[in-house]
Amino acid sequence: MTQSSTCPEPIFKSGDRFLGFEITRVTSLPDIRQTAYEILHMRTGARILHLHNDDPENLYAICFRTPPEDSTGLPHILEHSVLAGSERYPLKDVFNELHRGSLQTFINAFTYPDKTVYPVASQVKKDFFNLARVYTDLVLRPRLLRETFLQEGHHFEFADPENPNSELVISGIVYNEMKGAYSSPDSLMFKAIQENLYPDTIYRNDSGGAPDVIPTLTYEQFRAFHRSYYSPSNARFFFYGDIPTRDCLTFLDEMLDGFDAVAVQSNIAGQVCWTAPRAVSGEYPIGADEDATAKTAVNMAWMLTDNLDYETVILLEIVSWALVGSAAGPLRKALVESGLGEDLSPVTGLEKDIKQLAFVVGLRGTEADRVEAIESLVLDTLARLTEVGFEQDLIEGALHQVEFHGKEIHRGAYPYGITLMSLVFHTWLYDGDPLAGLNFPAMIEDIRRRWDQDPTLFQKVLRRWFLENPHRLLSVMEPSATYQQEQETRSREILRVITAGLSPEERERIASDAFRLKSFQTEPDPPEAAALLPAVGIEDLSPEVDVIPVESESRQGVTVLSHDLFTNDIAYLHIAFDIAQVPDELQPYLPLLCKLMTGLGAGELSYDKLSKRIALKTGGLGAHLASGFSIDGRETWQKMIVHVRMLYRNIPDAIGILSDILLRGNLSETERIRDLVFEGRNDLQAAVVPSGHLFAKRTAAASLTLPSYREEQWHGRSQLKFIHGLAEAWDERFEDFISKIEDLKSWIIRKERLVLNLTAGGQGLRLLSEAIEPIMAELNEVPSTICDVPIPALPSRTGVVIPAQVSYVAEAFPAPTYGSPLAAPLFVLSRLLSNGCLYQKIRVQGGAYGGMCQYDPTNGLFAFLSYRDPHLARTLAVYEEALRFTAGGIIPAEEIQKAVIGSIAALDRPMDPAGRGFASMIRHFSGLTDEERRRFRQAVLSMGNRELTEGALKYLANVKDRSAVAVYSEGEKMNQANKILRPPLQIEPLT
Ligand SMILES: [Zn+2]
């Protein structure tokens, strides 16, 4: 992560030449700590952008414009397939080799509606260039074997591979991935808008692939698409990080050797503006027995200006944020408080990954007969705002958010380089200025200047782009209990037509294709091919652990942890309240307490006023729950963690807000409470299908350990059932609910076992330290005792019915914690199995989108998972097999080495300053010392066959009879599986 607040001195100036490149523009962006080089590769016309800074996590990405001509998913299938292998690296699955055997901190590929991007990142220079070298070769010179196309795209199989007269089934990884996507209401909702808002452009097509259309794609079309679009002349190369520009260019010069300029037609035409609004309707699946009342979603979408109209785009971002970005946003508020629906539609907001932007707003949890009322409400609200304008604080809040997020060094699941890359492509892809969306401070200054000159600036934007913009789409999505069945019938019908027309020769060909595919998949790569991949060795791995600075002290009886880190003038505070003493029957209320605490009014302010103030004075504020074991596995901890992030200059105000929320919260806004509960229910419900594997894991693990039981109670199906029941009987249960929440607050907001965690630079720590004194002084000192919680008896084989065309299969085992000598072997084994036999059997051969295992030493849990899986019983058999995969008792040394390298990469995953402060606090809860971490790392580095087979595998085989299974799938599929599963699944509805 970045360690300083300056940008590197430029080493080139515009017009300079270096190797085959011409530097076309050099820009210093000191406010965001970047020196930007725009570069042209003279021979091919390839465009390069280097954002040079002092972040050691370097990122490299290759991007092609890939406009889809239909919905066969060609760009997506190609994205999967190029990564399989190239002439120089003739393996079957290079991506998986890089993924498991390198120090990558990020490796992936993304298909967008109009582009395909291949990013890799690493903190180790040698590893970085290894990855970049292989990735470039894969995209520019892939093998694109027919077998790869069949495996990744689509192919026919006979239900009984031995019998060419048996029923045909379609399989393929992208095919199953998209079946999953087409079961998710949120994806379907967005798809309907994209395809209908730009009906005369490439955006009417699904670049990911529509399951019904995917099977029409031919191998020849697939190869031709690569020839058309994957050339350096159609490429944009993006570099980010601390490696000098000369090194990046020297590398790229070598990579582009042998390529010449080619003419490419990849310009993306814009949609012509309509003269009148349009409407569209569609359906999404719900469970066959599910009640369809209040399940319609109504969205309104506007096509806005082009991404290259920079000055308008930033205004639209501010306006969009002001309208719906916070609970105080007048459009959001009008919709949510109208009672016309339950909560805001999840696709609400500004969409920028398309040439012309879109703004979407809507309600879910409504009825089709309220469409007109919703439409009028939105238009009336916009008309009123155009007249009276936004409140000043709302615009100031939006500007503060832009400033804060521009300043913050943030790395969530993705490297910071990815965040900047996404912004760059919004303009660069359409031949605009790549830096137009990066320089946040300059953008804010510019807006302030324009706003000063014209106080009606934002009203004019509303009038031009919303009120008087005829390019508006109304989209109504209704629930359908028969959707799933109809989809199945349609797929089967398509198959039936194909099968009926098959000649005996064609049946033979399908059988032999399927046979060849199976043998291709099971045959190992020749060792000499594997040796061609450049790789790091164990000797390249550092034996040292990253030490996070921490000072611990006790103040007023409270533990205060401080982390002195470079944070670019942003301070982070975590307050961890102990919740171990909260009685079991109150535990399900905790997630709602978190939501209500930060979503309601407090002190003198109503919820919307407080929300405005939060946006103005903080970079975000929230509360969540966490639990785990002590490292010896003897004790557990459970916490509610409240966090706030703020600029140094706002520390006193931000802490004041926090103190109001904790100590002077307001539970009298009854309508708002109802809205928050329903929103919580809808969000959790919508998360089930996209994260089916995690829900299945939680359900399976709940019976195994206390932390896992809590995890299910707070974030799993148990929580969904709880909140669903509450919402259904809201009026009767309301008073009791409020008294429970009040009860909970008095249980939790106490001084006892409280931990405060401060992360900032020296000055920030001093300011924070002072600011938190009054909160500590005000907290209640009543002592409490932790009660022992027996985990109730739960079924160990559960089948949960969900409306999805694919399954999610989980098996969980109780496992030891960090302190155990088995922890390191299990950690390495989980990677070995994930990237080895599970990947092979479940994804490659089974056609599922994912098959993996996870070991979590904090929660004492080991789990096998599958994602968007066409199989069920077969997958459970694969899990059994995984435990016996070393039939000979020997795991090849190079396999272990790859798993060790991958494990170290996982241990060294970079964290942003807030993440490091947080991780240190979690280690404090578990008693995990740096000494213990060193010991663990050493054990990983010296991992051998015996520790893995005699230790980890044997351990799992021994606890196999205590494992628990949960499957999330369609009911009929589970009934079928139950015919062979022993013991069978206990099948239950989702809620
Ligand atoms: Zn995919």
Side-chain angles (χ1 to χ4, degrees):
M1 282 290 130
T2 314
Q3 290 301 320
S4 75
S5 51
T6 55
C7 61
E9 271 305 308
I11 54 141
F12 287 121
K13 57 183 190 317
S14 158
D16 281 356
R17 291 192 171 191
F18 178 71
L19 303 172
F21 301 96
E22 183 182 332
I23 317 299
T24 55
R25 184 174 155 212
V26 181
T27 314
S28 287
L29 302 166
D31 294 327
I32 60 159
R33 312 175 299 281
Q34 314 287 329
T35 300
Y37 298 91
E38 285 160 73
I39 301 160
L40 182 73
H41 185 246
M42 293 182 286
R43 197 176 60 252
T44 60
R47 282 161 252 215
I48 300 108
L49 179 71
H50 184 204
L51 294 184
H52 192 211
N53 51 56
D54 66 0
D55 189 346
E57 187 181 19
N58 282 271
L59 176 94
Y60 168 65
I62 312 151
C63 166
F64 301 102
R65 278 206 298 230
T66 48
E69 286 152 28
D70 51 37
S71 294
T72 54
L74 222 176
H76 184 193
I77 296 171
L78 196 57
E79 175 235 292
H80 279 233
S81 304
V82 296
L83 298 178
S86 64
E87 297 307 331
R88 199 170 294 169
Y89 308 109
L91 281 86
K92 282 188 307 191
D93 195 342
V94 173
F95 176 79
N96 188 38
E97 295 302 316
L98 295 178
H99 182 257
R100 66 180 179 147
S102 73
L103 294 170
Q104 54 85 15
T105 53
F106 189 79
I107 182 165
N108 213 329
F110 302 110
T111 305
Y112 288 85
D114 54 14
K115 64 180 181 273
T116 312
V117 187
Y118 296 87
V120 285
S122 176
Q123 304 177 95
V124 177
K125 191 172 177 182
K126 176 179 172 186
D127 187 60
F128 173 75
F129 279 119
N130 285 347
L131 291 163
R133 174 174 301 276
V134 179
Y135 243 46
T136 313
D137 198 62
L138 290 175
V139 298
L140 292 177
R141 297 187 176 88
R143 290 204 292 178
L144 299 183
L145 300 178
R146 195 176 144 78
E147 287 82 356
T148 305
F149 168 71
L150 298 176
Q151 171 183 302
E152 301 296 327
H154 66 90
H155 62 272
F156 292 116
E157 284 174 354
F158 288 101
D160 175 3
E162 307 291 312
N163 176 7
N165 293 316
S166 64
E167 197 194 339
L168 270 178
V169 288
I170 300 178
S171 195
I173 293 171
V174 168
Y175 178 74
N176 285 316
E177 179 187 342
M178 295 315 293
K179 270 179 121 177
Y182 275 64
S183 302
S184 152
D186 295 8
S187 315
L188 289 171
M189 214 185 286
F190 187 73
K191 209 175 90 67
I193 291 168
Q194 184 196 311
E195 290 172 8
N196 293 292
L197 194 61
Y198 310 92
D200 308 313
T201 70
I202 56 153
Y203 300 111
R204 70 171 174 273
N205 303 315
D206 187 347
S207 61
D212 282 351
V213 189
I214 291 174
T216 64
L217 179 68
T218 69
Y219 180 53
E220 290 66 34
Q221 289 170 323
F222 162 79
R223 294 198 61 119
F225 195 85
H226 183 269
R227 272 197 305 280
S228 305
Y229 296 118
Y230 278 53
S231 68
S233 305
N234 188 41
R236 283 160 179 80
F237 295 91
F238 176 85
F239 290 91
Y240 163 97
D242 71 350
I243 294 178
T245 311
R246 278 197 187 86
D247 295 2
C248 299
L249 292 181
T250 306
F251 156 79
L252 197 58
D253 192 55
E254 186 197 330
M255 290 291 106
L256 297 180
D257 191 31
F259 286 98
D260 283 312
V262 291
V264 183
Q265 262 319 327
S266 66
N267 278 341
I268 292 152
Q271 167 69 42
V272 176
C273 199
W274 300 338
T275 51
R278 298 186 188 177
V280 61
S281 61
E283 290 185 333
Y284 74 91
I286 56 168
D289 309 319
E290 206 175 321
D291 179 7
T293 316
K295 293 238 165 73
T296 297
V298 177
N299 285 296
M300 290 171 74
W302 285 260
M303 184 176 87
L304 306 174
T305 193
D306 192 291
N307 257 308
L308 298 190
D309 179 6
Y310 317 130
E311 295 203 339
T312 309
V313 169
I314 176 75
L315 289 178
L316 286 167
E317 283 187 271
I318 302 287
V319 164
S320 160
W321 195 92
L323 286 172
V324 295
S326 73
L331 187 54
R332 169 186 288 259
K333 208 166 161 264
L335 280 167
V336 170
E337 290 184 352
S338 70
L340 289 169
E342 283 172 359
D343 67 334
L344 223 54
S345 139
V347 293
T348 295
L350 194 68
E351 172 59 46
K352 292 183 72 187
D353 281 328
I354 288 179
K355 187 178 163 65
Q356 288 148 300
L357 278 61
F359 176 80
V360 186
V361 68
L363 276 175
R364 71 178 163 187
T366 182
E367 297 288 356
D369 61 9
R370 297 187 200 148
V371 170
E372 269 171 42
I374 294 171
E375 197 177 17
S376 313
L377 176 64
V378 169
L379 295 176
D380 290 350
T381 308
L382 291 170
R384 186 176 54 79
L385 286 167
T386 308
E387 284 306 311
V388 301
F390 290 104
E391 278 176 69
Q392 172 144 352
D393 267 4
L394 215 48
I395 299 291
E396 289 290 352
L399 292 173
H400 172 255
Q401 292 303 308
V402 177
E403 177 189 2
F404 185 92
H405 295 291
K407 210 171 167 63
E408 184 176 40
I409 303 165
H410 181 72
R411 190 204 196 278
Y414 288 4
Y416 186 55
I418 291 274
T419 308
L420 295 188
M421 181 190 85
S422 311
L423 294 173
V424 161
F425 279 131
H426 288 152
T427 49
W428 201 24
L429 192 81
Y430 311 105
D431 301 325
D433 176 0
L435 309 178
L438 285 191
N439 202 354
F440 313 103
M443 294 186 321
I444 298 173
E445 217 172 285
D446 181 51
I447 288 192
R448 285 203 180 282
R449 191 183 45 75
R450 287 156 71 190
W451 191 20
D452 270 350
Q453 284 168 1
D454 178 4
T456 63
L457 179 67
F458 298 102
Q459 279 148 277
K460 286 185 176 136
V461 173
L462 277 177
R463 184 183 308 280
R464 163 71 184 84
W465 294 103
F466 291 84
L467 267 198
E468 293 176 359
N469 178 0
H471 200 114
R472 188 177 85 219
L473 180 74
L474 175 72
S475 164
V476 181
M477 295 291 280
E478 294 189 69
S480 162
T482 52
Y483 183 94
Q484 207 56 49
Q485 199 47 49
E486 284 160 15
Q487 274 293 326
E488 285 292 321
T489 314
R490 185 147 28 139
S491 305
R492 239 176 258 141
E493 182 55 23
I494 291 173
L495 264 172
R496 203 191 52 76
V497 171
I498 297 170
T499 329
L502 284 179
S503 65
E505 296 76 48
E506 284 167 325
R507 295 190 83 89
E508 274 310 317
R509 179 170 156 94
I510 288 173
S512 69
D513 263 359
F515 180 78
R516 250 190 307 157
L517 181 59
K518 282 280 172 276
S519 44
F520 170 78
Q521 288 168 337
T522 41
E523 206 173 281
D525 285 316
E528 60 279 13
L532 293 169
L533 273 186
V536 291
I538 302 278
E539 68 285 357
D540 294 310
L541 307 179
S542 160
E544 265 316 300
V545 295
D546 165 47
V547 175
I548 300 168
V550 54
E551 298 242 359
S552 173
E553 57 177 321
S554 173
R555 275 164 57 184
Q556 301 184 31
V558 171
T559 303
V560 180
L561 307 174
S562 308
H563 315 282
D564 187 345
L565 294 169
F566 175 76
T567 56
N568 208 27
D569 295 346
I570 289 176
Y572 302 91
L573 172 66
H574 295 103
I575 303 187
F577 293 98
D578 205 85
I579 49 174
Q581 77 282 8
V582 172
D584 196 47
E585 66 276 12
L586 284 180
Q587 291 275 346
Y589 291 83
L590 281 165
L592 285 174
L593 174 66
C594 290
K595 200 167 166 69
L596 295 184
M597 262 199 340
T598 51
L600 289 175
E604 309 278 283
L605 302 179
S606 59
Y607 86 88
D608 53 327
K609 296 219 166 64
L610 184 63
S611 153
K612 236 177 297 179
R613 201 162 158 71
I614 289 173
L616 206 53
K617 298 296 178 187
T618 82
L621 184 152
H624 70 276
L625 307 165
S627 64
F629 277 107
S630 61
I631 64 160
D632 59 11
R634 286 198 202 136
E635 282 158 44
T636 61
W637 53 265
Q638 298 163 54
K639 307 280 179 189
M640 180 175 89
I641 303 167
V642 182
H643 61 89
V644 57
R645 42 185 70 197
M646 63 232 120
L647 297 169
Y648 286 178
R649 68 164 191 263
N650 292 328
I651 287 177
D653 285 336
I655 300 298
I657 294 172
L658 190 70
S659 147
D660 279 349
I661 284 175
L662 292 176
L663 301 159
R664 285 169 290 280
N666 176 354
L667 283 175
S668 65
E669 295 168 302
T670 50
E671 277 308 306
R672 173 70 176 162
I673 293 173
R674 181 186 185 279
D675 291 340
L676 288 171
V677 169
F678 277 67
E679 180 186 84
R681 192 265 309 259
N682 294 345
D683 282 343
L684 195 61
Q685 172 106 32
V688 175
V689 170
S691 309
H693 60 315
L694 299 180
F695 277 84
K697 175 177 145 181
R698 291 183 189 117
T699 302
S703 62
L704 301 178
T705 70
L706 180 60
S708 303
Y709 170 62
R710 289 286 181 242
E711 181 60 23
E712 165 70 9
Q713 253 182 334
W714 298 336
H715 305 123
R717 173 180 167 241
S718 306
Q719 176 65 23
L720 182 62
K721 283 172 74 166
F722 165 76
I723 190 169
H724 191 74
L726 182 65
E728 294 289 285
W730 181 248
D731 291 337
E732 297 108 83
R733 287 181 60 180
F734 174 71
E735 266 174 40
D736 174 62
F737 171 73
I738 293 295
S739 79
K740 293 270 187 359
I741 291 288
E742 263 161 3
D743 248 21
L744 262 185
K745 280 175 122 177
S746 66
W747 276 102
I748 297 170
I749 315 287
R750 296 178 179 192
K751 218 173 197 176
E752 209 182 25
R753 292 187 292 274
L754 184 67
V755 175
L756 295 192
N757 193 55
L758 284 46
T759 309
Q763 187 206 353
L765 286 178
R766 275 189 301 280
L767 291 168
L768 257 186
S769 256
E770 269 169 44
I772 56 174
E773 284 293 323
I775 296 194
M776 292 197 287
E778 263 192 88
L779 282 173
N780 193 338
E781 288 209 61
V782 193
S784 55
T785 45
I786 298 178
C787 42
D788 242 354
V789 195
I791 310 174
L794 298 164
S796 67
R797 288 173 84 84
T798 316
V800 178
V801 181
I802 53 166
Q805 304 177 48
V806 279
S807 306
Y808 304 85
V809 183
E811 180 168 9
F813 299 75
T817 48
Y818 258 114
S820 158
L822 278 171
L826 282 168
F827 191 68
V828 177
L829 182 74
S830 71
R831 305 196 79 77
L832 192 90
L833 294 179
S834 272
N835 299 314
C837 81
L838 293 176
Y839 182 86
Q840 262 304 317
K841 299 249 160 72
I842 294 177
R843 180 174 160 116
V844 177
Q845 294 169 34
Y849 186 42
M852 67 211 98
C853 67
Q854 294 176 345
Y855 168 52
D856 179 356
T858 308
N859 277 317
L861 198 71
F862 192 95
F864 291 115
L865 311 172
S866 80
Y867 187 66
R868 296 187 181 173
D869 189 349
H871 302 286
L872 200 169
R874 175 190 179 275
T875 299
L876 286 169
V878 171
Y879 294 163
E880 286 237 38
E881 216 181 304
L883 298 181
R884 291 179 272 109
F885 89 108
T886 53
I890 299 286
I891 303 170
E894 44 309 346
E895 292 295 302
I896 298 179
Q897 173 164 336
K898 277 180 201 153
V900 167
I901 292 170
S903 301
I904 293 292
L907 289 175
D908 290 348
R909 185 119 309 187
M911 290 184 277
D912 58 24
R916 294 180 77 202
F918 182 78
S920 177
M921 175 179 71
I922 296 292
R923 286 172 195 161
H924 169 83
F925 297 150
S926 296
L928 178 59
T929 61
D930 290 330
E931 203 36 55
E932 198 68 36
R933 292 173 57 227
R934 271 186 208 103
R935 187 197 57 73
F936 184 85
R937 188 182 183 91
Q938 206 43 56
V940 169
L941 283 168
S942 59
M943 190 58 54
N945 180 66
R946 215 170 52 84
E947 289 91 331
L948 291 170
T949 52
E950 300 290 299
L953 269 173
K954 206 169 194 174
Y955 166 82
L956 290 175
N958 283 341
V959 294
K960 168 82 186 152
D961 57 346
R962 285 164 55 204
S963 79
V965 167
V967 176
Y968 278 52
S969 184
E970 194 238 327
E972 192 40 41
K973 278 205 176 105
M974 291 193 285
N975 286 331
Q976 285 296 330
N978 263 352
K979 289 182 184 156
I980 48 171
L981 288 179
R982 290 295 164 271
L985 300 169
Q986 187 175 321
I987 300 176
E988 296 172 8
L990 176 61
T991 51

Short mmCIF file of all heavy atoms in Angstrom, two decimals, residues 76 79-80 174 177 849, ligand 1:
data_model
loop_
_atom_site.label_atom_id
_atom_site.label_comp_id
_atom_site.label_asym_id
_atom_site.label_seq_id
_atom_site.Cartn_x
_atom_site.Cartn_y
_atom_site.Cartn_z
N HIS A 76 -17.81 -13.68 -23.68
CA HIS A 76 -17.64 -14.31 -22.38
C HIS A 76 -16.96 -15.69 -22.52
O HIS A 76 -16.04 -16.02 -21.79
CB HIS A 76 -19.03 -14.44 -21.74
CG HIS A 76 -19.02 -15.00 -20.35
ND1 HIS A 76 -20.17 -15.41 -19.74
CD2 HIS A 76 -18.03 -15.20 -19.45
CE1 HIS A 76 -19.89 -15.85 -18.52
NE2 HIS A 76 -18.59 -15.74 -18.31
N GLU A 79 -13.44 -15.15 -23.31
CA GLU A 79 -12.72 -14.72 -22.10
C GLU A 79 -12.28 -15.94 -21.29
O GLU A 79 -11.13 -16.04 -20.85
CB GLU A 79 -13.64 -13.81 -21.26
CG GLU A 79 -13.07 -13.38 -19.92
CD GLU A 79 -14.02 -13.72 -18.77
OE1 GLU A 79 -15.11 -13.11 -18.68
OE2 GLU A 79 -13.65 -14.59 -17.96
N HIS A 80 -13.18 -16.90 -21.12
CA HIS A 80 -12.80 -18.13 -20.41
C HIS A 80 -11.74 -18.91 -21.18
O HIS A 80 -10.82 -19.45 -20.59
CB HIS A 80 -14.01 -19.05 -20.26
CG HIS A 80 -14.92 -18.68 -19.13
ND1 HIS A 80 -15.30 -19.59 -18.18
CD2 HIS A 80 -15.54 -17.53 -18.80
CE1 HIS A 80 -16.12 -19.01 -17.31
NE2 HIS A 80 -16.29 -17.76 -17.68
N VAL A 174 -19.67 -21.84 -19.00
CA VAL A 174 -20.37 -20.56 -19.18
C VAL A 174 -21.88 -20.79 -19.23
O VAL A 174 -22.66 -20.02 -18.66
CB VAL A 174 -19.87 -19.83 -20.44
CG1 VAL A 174 -20.78 -18.66 -20.79
CG2 VAL A 174 -18.44 -19.34 -20.23
N GLU A 177 -22.93 -21.16 -15.72
CA GLU A 177 -22.74 -19.87 -15.04
C GLU A 177 -23.91 -18.95 -15.38
O GLU A 177 -24.50 -18.31 -14.51
CB GLU A 177 -21.41 -19.24 -15.49
CG GLU A 177 -21.14 -17.89 -14.84
CD GLU A 177 -19.92 -17.18 -15.42
OE1 GLU A 177 -19.08 -17.85 -16.07
OE2 GLU A 177 -19.79 -15.97 -15.21
N TYR A 849 -19.84 -23.85 -12.28
CA TYR A 849 -19.04 -22.63 -12.38
C TYR A 849 -17.89 -22.70 -11.37
O TYR A 849 -16.80 -22.21 -11.63
CB TYR A 849 -19.93 -21.42 -12.10
CG TYR A 849 -19.24 -20.10 -12.32
CD1 TYR A 849 -18.40 -19.91 -13.41
CD2 TYR A 849 -19.43 -19.05 -11.44
CE1 TYR A 849 -17.77 -18.69 -13.60
CE2 TYR A 849 -18.80 -17.83 -11.63
CZ TYR A 849 -17.97 -17.66 -12.72
OH TYR A 849 -17.34 -16.45 -12.91
ZN ZN B 1 -17.59 -16.47 -16.61
#
